[in-house]
Amino acid sequence: QHTERYCRPQVAVHMLSFKEAQAKVLSQKFAARRGKLDIGLLPGLVLSRDIISPRDLPAADIAAVDGYALRAIDSKGADRNYPIRLKACEGARGSQTNAGSGIEPGFCVSVSAGMAIPGGCDCVVSRESIESERRDILVYAECSSQSNIIRKGQDTKKGDRLFCAGRQIYPQDIGVFAQIGVEQAEVFLPPKVGLAALYGQEGQKDHNLDASCMLAAMARDVKAECSISRIHINDGKKAAKTMAGLLDACDLVVVAGNQSVPGYDFLNDTMLGLDLDLGFWKVNQHPGRQMAFLAGKNKAAFCLGGRLDEILFCFELYIRPMILNMMGNRDVFRKTVRGQAREDIIHKKGKTLFLTVCLGSKKGSYTFSPTHPQRALRSVRDAQGIVVLPENKAGLKAGDLADIIMIKESG
């Protein structure tokens, strides 16, 4: 039989509400790791330093359309009734242009969009406005100076700040980095997350390892580096040594399965012996009431149960926001939408209730209903969102509105 000592931490701690516990987790200040990475590894990360353009873009005046580059004065007066006849230069860049003064009067040069404008030319007439007669070109539209030309530095000038520190990087940004010649950028590096799967006896089904595998997948989805360790809690000294090594190597440690055996309790005898302060133990919520949070010296740790639904809720509402916060993200919460309950949901006041829900639509608005409450695996599998019912709310009736935290965009 477990004594009272193995039922709660030896330090008396006030049980927090869900909102208080979440705020305590996110109030922790961490000195994020920084480093330079190749641009192909950047999407999803946050810049820790501004990106300044090292060059003008475009690097020279270029054609905005396919057509012919010429002197605007040579097209003066041209229209459909009175075309202007010009000579097309030979060669891609106009080999008959004069090196000193550029293109000669009465000549033009074929160009493609993005091609540098030949010397002496100050406009481009589009192919739709010309007609070709052997080496002669008939121009049917007057072209003003600088028309259909993108000027040097018009897009970006050398020294322009293109991206500010603190901005998340998206896949399309990589094209911009490559275009301006940036091959690496300084970012906030993802935290190293150590996952500890507890087990009590050799040969028993290791549900906590299943939970740790799920945690690892969810953490990697937000770019965190993960490792999984198995800890046999029947050997207290070895468990303590393993945990100390894991905490030393990682920024964040998540323990799946707060198990106790006679004479030993993992939270009391191992976690509270580490160089961390106990932030809270037990939260007035269901599931996940037994959750513990510890932090100190730029490190943090969570102790969770081993149920998959509990893991899902605690990760989405506490751990994922903390990981994103450690990576310099400003927006750490999932998208939230408003939805209408499709059925009555019973909830006894007094504690916060987490529900996994599946989504539907009605007249362009979201609707939701709880996933399989008595079938834990299917409940996790089919979860598209999470509804949080606060401790002061006595359930929902069909048709009531509630906020839905979107964890999956489609079924």
Side-chain angles (χ1 to χ4, degrees):
Q1 296 292 322
H2 294 184
T3 66
E4 181 67 15
R5 174 174 178 266
Y6 299 107
C7 296
R8 64 175 180 227
Q10 298 168 51
V11 179
V13 179
H14 164 66
M15 186 187 296
L16 302 182
S17 69
F18 159 61
K19 286 295 185 183
E20 289 173 331
Q22 189 183 62
K24 192 172 188 68
V25 167
L26 294 180
S27 69
Q28 300 297 316
K29 303 298 182 184
F30 295 94
R33 296 187 300 123
R34 305 181 185 209
K36 278 190 173 182
L37 295 177
D38 292 340
I39 59 174
L41 302 174
L42 297 182
L45 301 180
V46 175
L47 288 168
S48 60
R49 179 173 292 182
D50 294 346
I51 298 295
I52 306 298
S53 178
R55 61 178 67 160
D56 290 331
L57 282 180
D61 292 353
I62 61 173
V65 297
D66 295 340
Y68 282 81
L70 47 92
R71 303 189 319 157
I73 195 171
D74 288 342
S75 68
K76 187 173 179 61
D79 62 24
R80 280 289 167 185
N81 296 318
Y82 301 99
I84 301 291
R85 184 180 296 271
L86 300 176
K87 292 287 185 182
C89 290
E90 296 178 355
R93 297 282 176 174
S95 58
Q96 292 185 1
T97 58
N98 185 289
S101 59
I103 194 171
E104 296 178 1
F107 281 84
C108 59
V109 183
S110 177
V111 293
S112 299
M115 187 175 183
I117 302 298
C121 298
D122 62 354
C123 69
V124 175
V125 62
S126 67
R127 293 195 181 277
E128 290 77 16
S129 300
I130 62 97
E131 184 179 332
S132 178
E133 289 186 349
R134 296 185 181 181
R135 288 186 55 204
D136 289 350
I137 301 299
L138 297 179
V139 180
Y140 288 98
E142 185 174 321
C143 193
S144 59
S145 180
Q146 303 305 317
S147 65
N148 294 324
I149 289 179
I150 299 174
R151 300 299 303 274
K152 175 183 178 181
Q154 182 176 320
D155 191 341
T156 299
K157 293 187 181 298
K158 182 178 180 180
D160 282 354
R161 183 170 60 181
L162 292 182
F163 298 93
C164 296
R167 183 189 189 279
Q168 184 175 347
I169 303 166
Y170 296 91
Q172 61 266 33
D173 297 332
I174 304 308
V176 179
F177 291 147
Q179 192 83 63
I180 62 175
V182 171
E183 297 179 351
Q184 292 185 322
E186 188 172 300
V187 293
F188 294 107
L189 298 175
K192 294 181 179 179
V193 178
L195 305 170
L198 307 184
Y199 68 104
Q201 297 183 16
E202 296 289 353
Q204 70 177 181
K205 172 59 179 172
D206 200 346
H207 293 288
N208 297 328
L209 183 58
D210 300 339
S212 292
C213 290
M214 178 174 154
L215 275 166
M218 292 189 294
R220 289 181 181 126
D221 192 49
V222 286
K223 296 286 189 175
E225 300 178 32
C226 293
S227 62
I228 299 177
S229 301
R230 298 175 78 245
I231 298 179
H232 188 191
I233 63 172
N234 280 331
D235 187 339
K237 289 184 178 180
K238 187 175 181 180
K241 184 177 180 181
T242 302
M243 278 304 305
L246 198 58
L247 189 64
D248 186 57
C250 299
D251 305 299
L252 172 64
V253 174
V254 182
V255 178
N258 291 339
Q259 296 186 18
S260 298
V261 295
Y264 174 82
D265 176 80
F266 187 77
L267 179 57
N268 273 315
D269 298 324
T270 294
M271 296 304 295
L272 294 184
L274 300 174
D275 198 9
L276 296 173
D277 297 321
L278 181 64
F280 58 78
W281 178 72
K282 287 189 178 180
V283 181
N284 193 26
Q285 63 188 30
H286 178 77
R289 179 173 178 268
Q290 298 284 344
M291 181 175 68
F293 173 67
L294 305 93
K297 295 187 177 179
N298 218 42
K299 306 276 186 176
F302 289 90
C303 290
L304 312 176
R307 287 176 43 183
L308 294 188
D309 59 343
E310 180 180 344
I311 294 292
L312 175 64
F313 292 127
C314 291
F315 180 84
E316 288 291 342
L317 299 172
Y318 294 97
I319 301 172
R320 184 180 186 273
M322 167 168 270
I323 291 174
L324 292 174
N325 194 28
M326 295 171 82
M327 293 166 60
N329 282 271
R330 294 167 182 165
D331 186 5
V332 299
F333 294 111
R334 294 270 199 185
K335 174 185 174 182
T336 300
V337 299
R338 198 79 168 152
Q340 189 177 59
R342 293 199 290 263
E343 59 188 74
D344 292 348
I345 297 173
I346 299 173
H347 174 224
K348 186 178 180 180
K349 285 186 179 181
K351 67 175 64 174
T352 299
L353 177 65
F354 303 141
L355 293 171
T356 51
V357 297
C358 51
L359 305 178
S361 61
K362 182 180 180 181
K363 296 181 180 180
S365 300
Y366 285 103
T367 62
F368 68 90
S369 59
T371 54
H372 320 273
Q374 305 303 321
R375 306 171 79 177
L377 294 183
R378 291 174 183 268
S379 183
V380 171
R381 181 197 68 182
D382 296 339
Q384 293 175 285
I386 293 174
V387 169
V388 179
L389 294 182
E391 54 197 46
N392 61 352
K393 189 171 183 64
L396 296 171
K397 292 189 177 297
D400 285 352
L401 294 173
D403 290 331
I404 307 164
I405 301 168
M406 302 287 282
I407 62 173
K408 193 190 297 181
E409 289 297 328
S410 63

